[in-house]
Amino acid sequence: MRDGLFALTDAEKFYKQLYENGDRKLLKKPMTYAEYEQLSENRRKYYHRIEHYHETVTTNTPGNTIKEFDADGDQVEVVLHGRYGYPIMHNHAYIELVYVYSGACTHFIEDQKLLMKKGDLCILAPEAMHALAVEDEDTVVINIMMSRHLFDSSFLKILKGGRMTSDFLENILYRKKVSPYLIFPTGEDSWIQELALRIYKERKEKDYLYNESVTLYVKQIFIQLIRKYEMMAIISDPLDNSQESNIMALMGYLSVNYNHVTLKQAAQFFGYNENYLGKILMRYTGKTFSNLISELQMENAKKLLEETNMSITEISVEVGCYDSSHFTRKFKKAYGVTPNNYRKEMQERTTYK
């Protein structure tokens, strides 16, 4: 361990001893709070904080484990996850990042069991029930908690895939239409490792303006995720809990090629047959290929109407609608106004600002 920074605490040493003397089986599956209450008093000796919050904050239901955390501000809370501790299912009102700095751990999320390895970074949705089991003293898992406001402004709103990608991820994390988590496999990325280490050190040492410093480091992690790993996000299949590693790449591909790509071309690019690709899109987005393409066409047409002097005919061609009258009907159906009138409205708003 780096300079003893991640040395076992007294509590971890205590639970390691229990683990080696028969408690190993208790870390193999998630534990409800009711099951935790059945443990001997000796096994519960280091869990007074959890008991306090469970009884006084959550009114004996799953809830926040950090009472003082401001779920709406820019505060960032950092915790080193305890090794050999019991995987007690719980949830939070805020966004949580779970980063495996070294080793491997088991992450129980809702009804799923995931093996996370070094470099895996999991973004967990608010209110998602989860628990971690860390069964190795050389494994280091860093938990980073933040408000939805900070996460939205630092990550969702600057995704390279644009509006469709950010909307898709919002549906996952906030509306749970697919699954309550994303996993980015960053592997041996030394920059993210270094940022995670700096975040933990800042939180541990609590020097002047440490929260501001931690917030900046978190934003740098998000920038690195977007630069290198945005299209590699792993998302659970909403029907059978298997993990789909191509869905983000597929959404990004459609965002870039929406103005000319066909279902057949997209299927060939990803090595799928057309029916299977259509089913994947419907399963993850609730929309057909045609619906998604139409939404992208209209969204980009709006942007061109707002930001350029291109003619309606030029815009219709640019977004893949080669008949301007068809484009006009399509735009009006989507937004209740013709492209020309939409542009006039935007220009008037700008004039009177």
Side-chain angles (χ1 to χ4, degrees):
M1 291 294 164
R2 209 181 263 235
D3 302 326
L5 185 66
F6 300 125
L8 291 177
T9 64
D10 289 342
E12 288 174 319
K13 290 176 182 176
F14 174 78
Y15 286 107
K16 179 183 179 183
Q17 188 173 30
L18 290 178
Y19 176 85
E20 293 173 340
N21 291 327
D23 275 6
R24 183 186 304 261
K25 62 182 180 297
L26 296 179
L27 277 71
K28 300 302 181 183
K29 65 177 184 176
M31 183 181 292
T32 65
Y33 190 77
E35 289 171 331
Y36 160 76
E37 289 183 305
Q38 299 304 311
L39 297 176
S40 66
E41 188 174 340
N42 183 52
R43 286 187 171 92
R44 294 161 52 184
K45 64 183 292 185
Y46 282 100
Y47 282 87
H48 298 311
R49 186 164 181 253
I50 287 180
E51 291 179 4
H52 169 72
Y53 285 119
H54 194 88
E55 293 166 6
T56 64
V57 178
T58 70
T59 61
N60 212 35
T61 60
N64 299 333
T65 54
I66 301 179
K67 181 180 180 181
E68 296 82 6
F69 188 83
D70 180 4
D72 297 316
D74 281 345
Q75 177 187 359
V76 176
E77 187 62 65
V78 185
V79 176
L80 190 67
H81 193 85
R83 287 155 287 192
Y84 302 105
Y86 305 124
I88 304 170
M89 294 293 282
H90 62 284
N91 63 2
H92 314 284
Y94 41 80
I95 293 284
E96 181 172 359
L97 272 59
V98 178
Y99 176 67
V100 183
Y101 180 83
S102 63
C105 67
T106 303
H107 198 174
F108 303 101
I109 306 176
E110 305 286 355
D111 58 350
Q112 299 181 48
K113 178 180 177 180
L114 314 175
L115 176 64
M116 292 182 62
K117 56 188 182 300
K118 181 179 179 180
D120 284 351
L121 191 154
C122 176
I123 299 177
L124 199 64
E127 308 302 343
M129 291 294 291
H130 77 120
L132 280 166
V134 182
E135 303 180 54
D136 179 355
E137 68 180 275
D138 291 325
T139 291
V140 173
V141 178
I142 299 174
N143 297 339
I144 304 170
M145 286 74 74
M146 71 193 68
S147 68
R148 172 173 171 173
H149 165 73
L150 179 59
F151 176 73
D152 287 356
S153 61
S154 304
F155 185 70
L156 282 186
K157 302 309 179 190
I158 58 174
L159 289 166
K160 287 187 294 186
R163 175 72 178 273
M164 186 174 77
T165 305
S166 63
D167 285 352
F168 176 60
L169 294 186
E170 277 196 48
N171 279 333
I172 290 172
L173 295 175
Y174 299 144
R175 300 177 187 90
K176 297 186 182 180
K177 289 191 176 179
V178 179
S179 72
Y181 70 88
L182 308 169
I183 292 181
F184 294 90
T186 71
E188 297 288 339
D189 191 311
S190 58
W191 180 228
I192 289 184
Q193 278 189 315
E194 182 61 28
L195 289 170
L197 181 64
R198 291 183 184 186
I199 286 170
Y200 179 65
K201 283 178 141 179
E202 282 281 357
R203 182 64 182 85
K204 189 176 179 68
E205 295 165 5
K206 291 190 177 181
D207 202 351
Y208 179 59
L209 295 178
Y210 76 88
N211 192 73
E212 286 75 5
S213 180
V214 165
T215 300
L216 290 174
Y217 286 140
V218 167
K219 290 182 178 181
Q220 288 184 64
I221 285 180
F222 286 145
I223 288 171
Q224 184 74 343
L225 288 180
I226 290 168
R227 283 176 171 173
K228 295 185 65 176
Y229 304 102
E230 179 180 336
M231 299 306 164
M232 296 170 62
I234 297 171
I235 300 168
S236 172
D237 187 299
L239 296 184
D240 60 14
N241 289 341
S242 62
Q243 292 183 337
E244 174 58 59
S245 59
N246 281 336
I247 186 62
M248 282 299 295
L250 176 56
M251 301 298 282
Y253 177 82
L254 296 181
S255 294
V256 172
N257 298 285
Y258 73 93
N259 60 354
H260 65 271
V261 73
T262 64
L263 177 62
K264 182 178 181 180
Q265 290 169 335
Q268 288 176 339
F269 185 86
F270 286 94
Y272 298 143
N273 66 49
E274 294 175 48
N275 286 336
Y276 181 70
L277 177 59
K279 287 178 181 177
I280 285 181
L281 291 174
M282 178 59 72
R283 190 177 298 176
Y284 280 89
T285 70
K287 299 170 185 175
T288 65
F289 176 84
S290 296
N291 290 151
L292 288 170
I293 294 299
S294 291
E295 286 184 10
L296 285 165
Q297 289 174 328
M298 296 303 99
E299 191 66 39
N300 281 279
K302 270 178 65 177
K303 190 173 183 181
L304 292 172
L305 287 166
E306 293 168 6
E307 300 176 1
T308 76
N309 293 317
M310 294 170 66
S311 69
I312 302 303
T313 299
E314 289 172 329
I315 291 175
S316 68
V317 172
E318 177 64 25
V319 300
C321 296
Y322 296 101
D323 180 343
S324 59
S325 60
H326 172 66
F327 165 69
T328 297
R329 288 194 299 272
K330 200 170 181 180
F331 191 92
K332 186 174 182 180
K333 183 178 180 181
Y335 301 114
V337 63
T338 65
N340 270 322
N341 286 338
Y342 179 79
R343 174 173 270 169
K344 287 177 183 177
E345 289 176 8
M346 292 301 103
Q347 289 172 343
E348 288 173 1
R349 288 183 190 178
T350 303
T351 301
Y352 291 111
K353 275 187 178 180

